[in-house]
């Protein structure tokens, strides 16, 4: 369907765009990771044979009654807390009526005027700008629809198929305030939201599997104007890259329309990743009237103080706080703190390793550098690292207290990665312990100096950087086992 707005003005130039401010609000759907669906006992599972995980309830058979899944509510509460929302003690399910082949009931069970949670926020940081809070208007629970399949069958040119396995999967919808002003802020908001929900453990938030879906509302207004412009809702943003591209395209399109004297039409548009453009889908006149009314088959959802308190006390530390703690308590640079909170598993791993080693900064280097390198090479995630956090911590401790040189520690870590052995046993078996004994090192240093009179002369005549050459020679003579600091000390003493 072509809408009027597509008979379009040219995209705006950078100069024209600079005269406007974009206003963006996101609506995000997250599939909760429960074992069963929200109102029945069917498995909540991705990838099974079509229409196998269904029952009379999720198929919407007359007379079949929904029963609310307690775990889904608990995950939804956790999602709300992870996003700094106030949880309402009473929320009400409502029917949202519309017709679509993937919706066998003819309505979605959602929440309307009394949602589960309200008044949240996410703090985002865009490079070069101060941190900014983006408000969350509301979080409500609802059931998912099925899937229409338009491709992949030999008669797909004539028919579409319907898979109802997803029908009745538990969702939360998270609606933001219109407080983002650029595609970068929208990107940062969605990243932080995803990370918080992953830390809370309520969803994998895997966008490829559709566990995280995002619609973007975009409008533009001349800079300095208080009122918002007319908004357009963009659907089908199934990656972070597409979210950013679609918003940037839409800003340019809308400014182009405004600058050529046109009017922006309130409508729903689809992002086409191949064209890199948004295309008109339906206008406001064609918008649904959902005829919401309270769901008669479910009682209001009441959350007791006791339940809420219990969920609250079991919440893990959220990524934003964790980054701050890593910086403050462990002295990490902001960049390292961000990398090490990239997932809850990585943050937990690093935390334990740092505590074991007693040297958090050195542990950060080894975790981000060598261990991640080995994991990447083996195609593994931190969750299945053959080197446990405690073992990495032990290795780092040996480096920190001079028992093992950094150079040899790299080899030891590679062996630990291969065999799962501890650093201590590898070092002992292979005789790799660092040589810190001054007597031993002085003797070796003396041999090295004697064998290289020219360099010794250079050092004594003021070219002190030659010390690196001598340290290298001592290392060579000890197969890398000399403690570099102790070796340098011994050499300096000898060379006067
Ligand atoms: P609707 O009535 O169309 O559902 P809402 O006011 O409920 O609109 O908002 C839906 C989403 O659109 C929210 O995320 C909100 O932040 C965002 N939004 C509202 N107005 C605008 C606007 N003028 N420009 C951009 N986004 C907006
Ligand atoms: Zn079912
Ligand atoms: Mg709305």
């Amino acid at each position: 369907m072509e809408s009027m707005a597509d008979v379009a003005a040219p995209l705006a130039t950078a100069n024209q765009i600079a005269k406007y401010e974009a206003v963006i609000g996101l609506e995000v759907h997250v599939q909760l990771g429960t074992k069963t669906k929200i109102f029945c006992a069917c498995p909540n599972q991705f990838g099974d044979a079509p229409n196998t995980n269904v029952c009379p309830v999720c198929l919407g058979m007359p007379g079949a009654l929904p029963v609310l899944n307690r775990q889904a509510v608990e995950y939804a509460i956790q999602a709300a807390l992870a996003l700094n929302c106030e949880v309402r003690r009473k929320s009400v399910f409502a029917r949202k009526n519309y017709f679509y082949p993937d919706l066998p009931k003819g309505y979605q069970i959602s929440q309307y005027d009394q949602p589960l949670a309200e008044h949240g926020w996410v703090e985002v940081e865009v490079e070069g700008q101060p941190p900014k809070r983006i408000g969350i208007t509301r979080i409500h629970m609802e059931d998912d629809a099925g899937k229409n399949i338009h491709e992949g069958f030999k008669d797909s040119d004539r028919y579409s198929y319907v898979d109802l396995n997803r029908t009745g999967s538990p969702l939360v919808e998270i609606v933001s305030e219109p407080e983002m002003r650029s595609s970068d802020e929208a990107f940062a908001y969605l990243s932080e939201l995803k990370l918080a929900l992953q830390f809370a453990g309520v969803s994998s938030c895997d966008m490829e599997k559709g566990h995280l879906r995002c619609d973007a509302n975009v409008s533009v207004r001349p800079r300095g104007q208080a009122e918002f412009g007319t908004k357009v809702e963009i659907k089908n943003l199934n990656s972070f890259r597409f979210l950013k591209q679609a918003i940037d395209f839409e800003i340019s399109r809308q400014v182009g329309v405004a600058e050529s004297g046109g009017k922006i039409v309130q409508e729903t548009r689809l992002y086409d990743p191949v064209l890199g453009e948004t295309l008109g889908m339906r206008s406001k006149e064609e918008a649904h009237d959902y005829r919401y009314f309270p769901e008669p088959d479910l009682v209001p959802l009441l959350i007791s103080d006791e339940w809420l308190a219990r969920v609250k006390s079991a919440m893990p530390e959220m990524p934003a706080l964790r980054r701050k703690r890593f910086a403050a308590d462990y002295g990490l640079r902001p960049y390292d703190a961000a990398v090490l909170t990239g997932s809850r598993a990585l943050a937990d791993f690093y935390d334990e390793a740092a505590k074991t080693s007693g040297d958090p900064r050195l542990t950060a280097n080894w975790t981000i550098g060598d261990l991640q390198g080995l994991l990447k090479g083996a195609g593994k995630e931190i969750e299945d690292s053959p080197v446990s956090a405690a073992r990495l911590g032990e290795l780092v401790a040996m480096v920190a207290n001079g028992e093992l040189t950094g150079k040899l520690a790299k080899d030891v870590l590679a062996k630990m990665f291969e065999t799962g052995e501890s650093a201590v046993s590898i070092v002992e078996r292979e005789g790799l312990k660092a040589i810190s004994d001054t007597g031993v090192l002085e003797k070796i240093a003396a041999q090295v100096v004697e064998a290289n009179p020219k360099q010794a002369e250079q050092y004594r005549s003021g070219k002190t950087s030659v010390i690196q050459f001598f340290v290298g020679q001592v290392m060579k003579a000890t197969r890398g086992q000399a403690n570099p600091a102790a070796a340098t000390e011994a050499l300096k003493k000898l060379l006067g």
Side-chain angles (χ1 to χ4, degrees):
M1 221 179 306
E2 277 260 302
S3 76
M4 288 301 289
D6 281 326
V7 191
L11 295 181
T13 63
N15 278 343
Q16 291 174 318
I17 291 173
K19 293 193 282 180
Y20 288 79
E21 180 178 58
V23 172
I24 301 156
L26 299 188
E27 292 168 286
V28 178
H29 284 93
V30 176
Q31 193 180 96
L32 302 172
T34 52
K35 289 200 180 66
T36 55
K37 294 185 180 180
I38 185 169
F39 298 123
C40 64
C42 292
N44 177 33
Q45 225 159 259
F46 175 88
D48 288 338
N51 300 307
T52 52
N53 298 330
V54 291
C55 75
V57 173
C58 54
L59 289 178
M61 302 288 192
L65 291 174
V67 177
L68 181 58
N69 179 339
R70 188 182 172 85
Q71 183 62 56
V73 177
E74 187 146 328
Y75 279 156
I77 296 172
Q78 287 169 340
L81 295 174
L83 301 173
N84 307 296
C85 289
E86 289 164 24
V87 175
R88 292 173 69 105
R89 300 317 162 82
K90 179 186 171 198
S91 62
V92 173
F93 286 96
R95 286 193 186 178
K96 179 180 180 180
N97 299 279
Y98 64 93
F99 173 77
Y100 210 61
D102 65 8
L103 190 72
K105 294 199 300 301
Y107 57 86
Q108 202 180 357
I109 301 179
S110 184
Q111 295 182 315
Y112 187 52
D113 53 353
Q114 299 181 62
L116 179 83
E118 296 164 305
H119 313 306
W121 52 266
V122 166
E123 191 173 280
V124 303
E125 212 169 328
V126 170
E127 215 185 307
Q129 289 169 28
K132 173 178 171 180
R133 271 188 190 187
I134 307 296
I136 289 173
T137 318
R138 56 186 275 147
I139 297 183
H140 62 255
M141 300 183 70
E142 59 188 24
D143 61 359
D144 206 349
K147 255 186 187 162
N148 292 334
I149 304 167
H150 307 292
E151 281 166 9
F153 293 92
K154 61 174 185 297
D155 49 2
S156 284
D157 56 331
R158 280 171 298 145
Y159 297 107
S160 287
Y161 288 79
V162 182
D163 177 6
L164 297 176
N165 279 352
R166 202 180 68 180
T167 310
S169 281
L171 299 179
V172 282
E173 179 174 344
I174 302 159
V175 182
S176 86
E177 291 289 315
E179 291 178 348
M180 287 157 269
R181 296 290 175 264
S182 67
S183 62
D184 286 332
E185 283 186 7
F187 189 101
Y189 167 82
L190 192 62
S191 307
E192 194 62 27
L193 180 149
K194 175 181 170 181
L195 198 57
L197 297 182
Q198 284 175 333
F199 268 60
V202 304
S203 172
S204 71
C205 292
D206 190 336
M207 264 186 135
E208 267 172 42
K209 290 185 180 162
H211 294 174
L212 179 73
R213 288 169 249 157
C214 176
D215 302 331
N217 298 272
V218 180
S219 65
V220 299
R221 60 179 169 189
R223 286 194 183 276
Q225 178 183 305
E227 309 89 67
F228 288 155
T230 303
K231 79 171 152 69
V232 160
E233 183 176 356
I234 314 171
K235 300 221 174 254
N236 196 29
L237 302 171
N238 48 25
S239 79
F240 278 82
R241 199 158 50 93
F242 294 165
L243 170 73
K244 195 168 146 44
Q245 288 172 358
I247 291 172
D248 285 334
F249 174 87
E250 188 57 24
I251 291 170
S252 177
R253 187 190 70 83
Q254 289 184 17
V255 172
V257 170
E259 283 288 290
S260 47
K263 249 196 155 58
I264 287 131
V265 180
Q266 182 170 347
E267 62 178 346
T268 304
R269 295 176 74 87
L270 266 188
Y271 182 62
D272 183 330
V274 178
L275 294 175
E277 297 179 3
T278 63
L279 304 170
M281 195 168 104
R282 59 171 181 258
S283 69
K284 199 188 178 186
E285 289 74 52
E286 302 159 82
H288 295 117
D289 172 7
Y290 293 120
R291 294 175 293 118
Y292 279 99
F293 61 84
E295 168 58 58
D297 290 341
L298 288 165
V299 294
L301 170 57
L302 302 178
I303 293 164
S304 67
D305 290 348
E306 184 266 323
W307 188 10
L308 186 58
R310 191 152 41 76
V311 176
K312 233 178 220 169
S313 69
M315 285 294 286
E317 191 178 27
M318 283 296 112
L321 285 178
R322 207 133 188 207
R323 277 194 293 269
K324 282 179 189 148
R325 180 167 63 79
F326 283 0
D329 295 3
Y330 290 159
L332 298 192
R333 287 174 299 161
Y335 175 81
D336 290 345
V339 170
L340 290 167
T341 48
S343 77
R344 183 164 162 200
L346 180 59
D348 287 346
F349 185 101
Y350 166 71
D351 233 338
E352 189 188 340
K355 277 178 188 131
T356 309
S357 78
D359 190 331
R361 280 212 251 183
L362 194 58
T363 309
N365 293 343
W366 281 88
T367 309
I368 294 170
D370 294 84
L371 182 62
Q372 291 279 51
L374 288 165
L375 287 168
K376 211 167 169 197
K380 286 192 158 128
E381 297 294 323
I382 193 79
E383 286 89 330
D384 22 71
S385 169
V387 178
S388 70
R391 291 251 152 113
L392 183 74
E394 286 163 16
L395 175 77
V396 174
M398 291 178 81
V399 177
N401 62 30
E403 272 176 76
L404 184 62
T405 66
K407 192 165 171 302
L408 286 180
K410 281 183 198 289
D411 302 337
V412 172
L413 181 64
K415 281 191 182 124
M416 291 166 71
F417 196 85
E418 235 169 74
T419 64
E421 273 178 290
S422 75
V424 178
S425 65
I426 294 171
V427 167
E428 219 141 81
R429 188 181 61 236
E430 308 202 355
L432 301 174
K433 222 172 159 103
I435 303 167
S436 303
D437 185 301
T438 349
V440 176
L441 286 177
E442 273 173 9
K443 229 164 92 192
I444 298 165
Q447 287 163 5
V448 165
V449 170
E450 202 178 285
N452 298 283
K454 215 171 79 203
Q455 284 83 351
E457 187 45 46
Q458 285 173 351
Y459 181 89
R460 288 185 179 116
S461 61
K463 199 179 166 207
T464 51
S465 60
V466 178
I467 197 81
Q468 292 311 324
F469 164 79
F470 282 113
V471 174
Q473 293 301 306
V474 173
M475 282 297 177
K476 210 163 146 192
T478 58
R479 289 170 37 243
Q481 277 170 263
N483 176 323
T488 310
E489 203 56 28
L491 283 162
K492 276 189 179 158
K493 202 166 132 193
L494 218 87
L495 290 163

